[in-house]
Amino acid sequence: MKSADSLIDVAQIDSTQIDDIYAEVGQWHVNVGEQKIHPKRMPGRWRSVKWWTSSVWLLFFLGPYLHWGDRQAVLFDLPAQKFYLFGLTVLVQDLWILAMILLFFAILLAVVTALAGRVFCGYFCFQTVWTDVFVLIEEWLEGKPRQRQQLDEAPWSLTKLRIKAIKHGLWLLIGLLTGVSFVAWFMDAGELWQGMLALSLPLEATITIGAFVFGTYSLAGFMREQTCMWLCPYSRIQGVMVDQDTVLPAYDAVRGESRGRRKKGQSDDHLGDCIDCNLCVAVCPTGIDIRDGQQQGCITCGLCIDACDSVMEKIGRPKGLVRYDSLNGLLGKTQARWFKRPRVWVYFGILAFSVVGGAWGLATLDGLELKVIHHRQPMFVMQSDGSIQNRYQLKLLNKTDQPLEAKITVTGAAGLKAVGVSEPVLLAPSGVTAHEVFVRIPAKWLVSDSQQIAFSVSTSLEEINATRKAVFIGPAPSSNTP
């Protein structure tokens, strides 16, 4: 099997030689913070993809200002224990729906990792995106990586103080906007800004914003790649989520070794395609060398692929020396298709369960919930007119944010009479209203010691109603008085 991007016929190399080649380049060093990483920025296909995927975070900043009717479209009102999702109001009784949504995204992360590694880390993670923006600001103000290093090493001056003050001021401003945007999902955005301007924010909101300012400023501004390596649990567990068929940024050591300098058009049978320019290391946001094999610091961003492809173009060699590929692909082995991998099917099964469960929950989410509780002491009461009386407590949960008038009716037996339903019941918004109803049935119409009846509730809003079945208890028919 011969790759179009390879100088070497892999089929002519035995597996031991291939293993030796990859073992030789598989020694890597982990940066534990002894040096500051100044990644080089350069254009390319994966850099463009990275910017487009990062733009989804605009929803985080702009989402709270989207309105639905007379209120915020998405609002997680924790004090009132209500979650507004556009036209839906989700109360604590329906939190299992949100749990299904969270389960979907958690398993989606596992599916993507099994297929393509840490794609979330490289293209969507807030730490990666915020760090990228912070480095971009740093480059605008301080220059290219070498210039930034020289400025850090230079003695303090008014120019250096001005540049650093502007940079850190912008970092703190981004941290502030991040904190405000987060709180705006849990508090009306208009009230939040009014409270900030009037210096009258609730203590919880103030503490949360302060924590986000500190966290964003320190993690994206100073710790950067160390956050991905040492604080993020995902970097630790990803190793058990990938296998030999997972597609990751990888260096083709068979094609690239041995490394050496070469010029465009120059051929040397003793050298591979890698010219040892270290550009793949220079652009890496975590400072790793992809040529040393897959390692914990790799966030699967693909920037090293852009860097290597640009060099291959300049020296007239095929692209793909560093590319997205699996270990089996690099070794020239047959790569299992995704639909033949059991773990992927397990993930998809859980995904399907969460999607169906969440969709069913949202589709059946009613504005009114009715519960009927039968009083057990006593089970029934014999009235002076010969009828049997049961007592019920109705609990009506109004899930809307407006008061409703409810009309209660009871059906299910001949001669049935309900006491306590003649007048409409006022239902408080987003709350439970309790109401007692007495149901009487003449003893002669009872066909058994328990029979089914139904409580129906209709409201001033035609589309909001509820029905609940209940059991009417009486004496055995043989003991009924004719």
Side-chain angles (χ1 to χ4, degrees):
M1 176 180 177
K2 187 171 183 177
S3 171
D5 294 337
S6 180
L7 295 176
I8 301 175
D9 190 344
V10 178
Q12 296 179 359
I13 305 177
D14 61 47
S15 60
T16 302
Q17 289 178 295
I18 294 178
D19 291 341
D20 290 343
I21 292 173
Y22 279 96
E24 182 179 350
V25 300
Q27 305 300 319
W28 45 275
H29 166 70
V30 177
N31 172 30
V32 294
E34 70 274 8
Q35 61 178 346
K36 184 178 180 180
I37 302 297
H38 289 283
K40 178 181 177 63
R41 305 179 70 84
M42 60 183 298
R45 178 176 59 173
W46 297 110
R47 164 55 69 182
S48 298
V49 171
K50 190 175 176 65
W51 279 123
W52 280 108
T53 54
S54 299
S55 66
V56 301
W57 281 100
L58 291 175
L59 294 174
F60 170 77
F61 289 99
L62 302 178
Y65 305 99
L66 179 65
H67 275 68
W68 186 273
D70 58 349
R71 59 172 171 78
Q72 198 166 305
V74 180
L75 178 63
F76 302 99
D77 191 347
L78 295 181
Q81 297 183 344
K82 294 185 294 184
F83 302 141
Y84 298 108
L85 301 175
F86 296 94
L88 296 175
T89 301
V90 182
L91 301 183
V92 291
Q93 291 86 349
D94 302 307
L95 278 182
W96 66 270
I97 299 177
L98 294 180
M100 284 291 178
I101 296 174
L102 293 177
L103 175 63
F104 170 80
F105 284 108
I107 299 302
L108 180 63
L109 181 64
V111 172
V112 172
T113 303
L115 296 176
R118 295 170 66 180
V119 173
F120 172 77
C121 292
Y123 296 97
F124 297 98
C125 176
F126 49 87
Q127 171 66 18
T128 301
V129 174
W130 266 246
T131 299
D132 216 15
V133 173
F134 276 34
V135 172
L136 180 61
I137 293 173
E138 197 171 55
E139 185 170 296
W140 283 344
L141 295 172
E142 299 180 358
K144 302 297 181 182
R146 182 57 186 160
Q147 294 173 303
R148 299 202 294 269
Q149 292 174 353
Q150 291 174 346
L151 182 64
D152 288 343
E153 296 169 358
W156 283 96
S157 63
L158 289 178
T159 300
K160 180 176 179 178
L161 181 62
R162 175 180 58 83
I163 293 174
K164 293 291 186 181
I166 295 174
K167 181 183 76 171
H168 288 279
L170 290 174
W171 284 1
L172 287 170
L173 178 60
I174 292 175
L176 177 62
L177 290 176
T178 302
V180 171
S181 298
F182 179 82
V183 174
W185 290 93
F186 299 88
M187 177 181 179
D188 182 80
E191 296 179 3
L192 172 61
W193 282 104
Q194 291 176 6
M196 289 181 59
L197 295 176
L199 301 179
S200 59
L201 274 182
L203 179 61
E204 298 85 351
T206 303
I207 293 175
T208 302
I209 293 174
F212 267 85
V213 171
F214 173 77
T216 305
Y217 178 69
S218 59
L219 296 179
F222 295 96
M223 294 196 65
R224 297 186 178 179
E225 77 285 344
Q226 297 302 306
T227 302
C228 302
M229 290 185 176
W230 308 117
L231 295 184
C232 177
Y234 185 41
S235 66
R236 300 287 181 164
I237 65 176
Q238 64 158 339
V240 299
M241 302 173 72
V242 301
D243 54 30
Q244 294 184 337
D245 294 306
T246 302
V247 176
L248 304 164
Y251 167 65
D252 190 345
V254 175
R255 172 186 163 186
E257 300 298 314
S258 297
R259 308 171 194 172
R261 299 287 180 175
R262 64 194 306 165
K263 297 180 180 179
K264 185 174 183 179
Q266 177 186 355
S267 61
D268 190 332
D269 294 338
H270 300 290
L271 293 177
D273 278 0
C274 180
I275 64 172
D276 207 17
C277 64
N278 286 322
L279 190 58
C280 58
V281 182
V283 299
C284 180
T286 59
I288 68 166
D289 190 340
I290 193 64
R291 298 170 298 176
D292 291 341
Q294 188 56 222
Q295 46 205 286
Q296 180 179 311
C298 180
I299 59 173
T300 323
C301 63
L303 298 182
C304 54
I305 300 177
D306 286 340
C308 188
D309 283 350
S310 69
V311 174
M312 292 298 105
E313 284 184 340
K314 292 177 181 178
I315 66 172
R317 303 305 301 165
K319 296 180 180 179
L321 177 60
V322 179
R323 62 182 183 272
Y324 274 104
D325 205 346
S326 66
L327 178 59
N328 282 337
L330 289 174
L331 297 177
K333 299 178 181 179
T334 302
Q335 183 174 344
R337 306 294 292 272
W338 67 268
F339 52 82
K340 293 184 177 180
R341 298 165 65 184
R343 71 164 65 188
V344 175
W345 281 108
V346 172
Y347 292 148
F348 273 120
I350 303 176
L351 271 182
F353 169 76
S354 62
V355 169
V356 171
W360 180 83
L362 291 174
T364 58
L365 193 62
D366 296 322
L368 178 66
E369 185 176 304
L370 170 64
K371 290 186 177 180
V372 180
I373 302 173
H374 188 286
H375 280 258
R376 300 291 182 177
Q377 294 180 352
M379 295 291 290
F380 62 88
V381 174
M382 180 75 72
Q383 299 292 300
S384 58
D385 60 359
S387 62
I388 307 300
Q389 175 178 282
N390 282 200
R391 180 184 176 190
Y392 301 88
Q393 184 180 58
L394 277 57
K395 291 190 174 181
L396 303 104
L397 173 59
N398 177 11
K399 296 183 179 180
T400 69
D401 54 359
Q402 57 183 304
L404 297 175
E405 280 193 353
K407 178 65 176 176
I408 303 172
T409 57
V410 188
T411 58
L416 182 148
K417 181 181 179 181
V419 179
V421 299
S422 58
E423 297 294 331
V425 179
L426 183 63
L427 306 183
S430 302
V432 177
T433 301
H435 184 72
E436 286 198 343
V437 175
F438 295 89
V439 177
R440 297 171 183 171
I441 300 177
K444 64 181 179 179
W445 296 113
L446 290 179
V447 296
S448 68
D449 57 355
S450 65
Q451 64 186 76
Q452 198 172 79
I453 60 175
F455 289 82
S456 298
V457 180
S458 58
T459 67
S460 48
L461 297 179
E462 184 178 348
E463 68 277 10
I464 297 181
N465 50 69
T467 300
R468 175 74 68 172
K469 293 180 179 180
V471 175
F472 186 91
I473 306 296
S478 59
S479 62
N480 292 345
T481 303

